[in-house]
Amino acid sequence: MRLKFSRFLVAFLLIGSLMLAGCNAQEVGNNSSPTSTTAVETTTTASTEATSVSQTTSESNPGMTNSLPRLEGKATVVITVKGSPITVEVDGTNAPITAGNFVDLVQKGVYDGTVFHRVVREPQPFVVQGGDPQSKDPKSDRNLWGTGGYVDPKTNNERRIPLEIKPKGEKEPIYGKTLESARITKPPELQHKQGAVAMARSQQPDSASSQFYFALADLGFLDGNYAVFGYVTQGFDVVNQIQQGDRIDSAEVTQGAENLKTGQS
């Protein structure tokens, strides 16, 4: 019993740190402690499950998703840290909005010079997180690193993307809900395996912007709660060497740029 409680407590604390790191400045003071990730009840039938997927997809905000970049297919992004490359295969087939947002921000140079503000390896390997544009300025308040996102210069508003998770075997992702809240018992197509790349967010499902993280180990307790959009295919040893405060030298789309489709607005 003590071992089970210990594992639960570790998962609870790790999920909490990930959620809070994805907040924007206005949300930091308002967020309560996150609840732990628990298994969805297994009594859901296959027919109910299929209905839930359909309803959740149709209830998503089409105006929001239509205005965002999409990646129709796959792309390769090379992130260079301290002179060493990390190759990421970005999967727009299973996460078109999340992958499109990331590739678009790479092309805009948003990640160049940003800091990995959170590195969690204890009590067990967890994540390396970065992507806050505020961290580009070494004179900025370091206490705010990890609270910001990409601000569109055309609107002066922070771009937010919906939580996007595609259940295994389904044609379309669901938006704006975790798999648990959508009562989906199927696992996601893109899972938190070691080397997964996913979006950080606050407790609000549709709050992801530019911050992302690398999974340092298999993190199955995050599956269905955070949007994975790709995997490290080369350079995971570089990821393992990243320390808090290290900067991204550059991020570049090396293949698949033609698969990026810009939003309608």
Side-chain angles (χ1 to χ4, degrees):
M1 178 64 70
R2 181 176 297 177
L3 178 60
K4 290 182 179 179
F5 177 77
S6 176
R7 288 178 177 174
F8 173 83
L9 181 61
V10 169
F12 180 90
L13 293 174
L14 292 180
I15 293 172
S17 68
L18 183 61
M19 275 191 166
L20 293 176
C23 301
N24 65 25
Q26 287 73 31
E27 291 173 325
V28 170
N30 297 327
N31 274 347
S32 57
S33 299
T35 56
S36 61
T37 304
T38 56
V40 180
E41 294 181 1
T42 57
T43 54
T44 306
T45 64
S47 59
T48 303
E49 190 173 80
T51 301
S52 297
V53 172
S54 175
Q55 288 177 344
T56 305
T57 303
S58 64
E59 289 171 1
S60 64
N61 186 338
M64 182 180 188
T65 57
N66 288 344
S67 66
L68 294 168
R70 299 177 63 91
L71 186 68
E72 298 178 354
K74 295 187 177 182
T76 302
V77 170
V78 175
I79 300 171
T80 304
V81 180
K82 300 176 72 172
S84 298
I86 302 165
T87 302
V88 176
E89 183 180 75
V90 184
D91 190 343
T93 301
N94 292 304
I97 298 298
T98 313
N101 176 70
F102 182 75
V103 170
D104 182 58
L105 296 183
V106 168
Q107 289 191 326
K108 287 178 173 12
V110 170
Y111 295 118
D112 298 351
T114 56
V115 168
F116 288 104
H117 61 272
R118 182 179 295 272
V119 177
V120 182
R121 292 192 172 93
E122 299 294 340
Q124 61 191 45
F126 186 45
V127 300
V128 170
Q129 184 173 331
D132 183 349
Q134 296 178 114
S135 66
K136 285 190 175 189
D137 183 0
K139 297 180 180 179
S140 61
D141 186 350
R142 297 193 177 196
N143 292 323
L144 294 180
W145 292 1
T147 66
Y150 168 67
V151 176
D152 189 334
K154 294 181 180 179
T155 64
N156 289 322
N157 292 322
E158 184 176 303
R159 178 198 286 177
R160 301 280 186 94
I161 62 172
L163 179 62
E164 176 184 54
I165 301 175
K166 184 178 179 181
K168 188 172 287 292
E170 296 296 332
K171 293 183 179 180
E172 299 292 336
I174 63 172
Y175 293 95
K177 295 183 179 181
T178 65
L179 292 192
E180 181 180 359
S181 64
R183 299 186 63 81
I184 307 299
T185 59
K186 293 180 179 180
E189 288 282 359
L190 301 179
Q191 300 177 22
H192 281 81
K193 303 298 184 182
Q194 184 184 67
V197 190
M199 295 301 290
R201 62 173 178 82
S202 73
Q203 290 181 344
Q204 299 302 317
D206 298 341
S207 58
S209 180
S210 63
Q211 290 186 51
F212 68 94
Y213 59 89
F214 296 111
L216 295 178
D218 292 352
L219 305 173
F221 58 90
L222 296 180
D223 285 345
N225 292 279
Y226 293 83
V228 174
F229 61 88
Y231 295 92
V232 174
T233 57
Q234 295 181 49
F236 187 72
D237 58 323
V238 179
V239 175
N240 263 334
Q241 295 171 11
I242 293 174
Q243 300 297 318
Q244 186 169 321
D246 286 350
R247 290 186 181 273
I248 294 176
D249 301 331
S250 63
E252 179 184 5
V253 181
T254 59
Q255 294 181 23
E258 69 279 2
N259 293 331
L260 180 66
K261 311 302 178 184
T262 58
Q264 296 177 0
S265 62

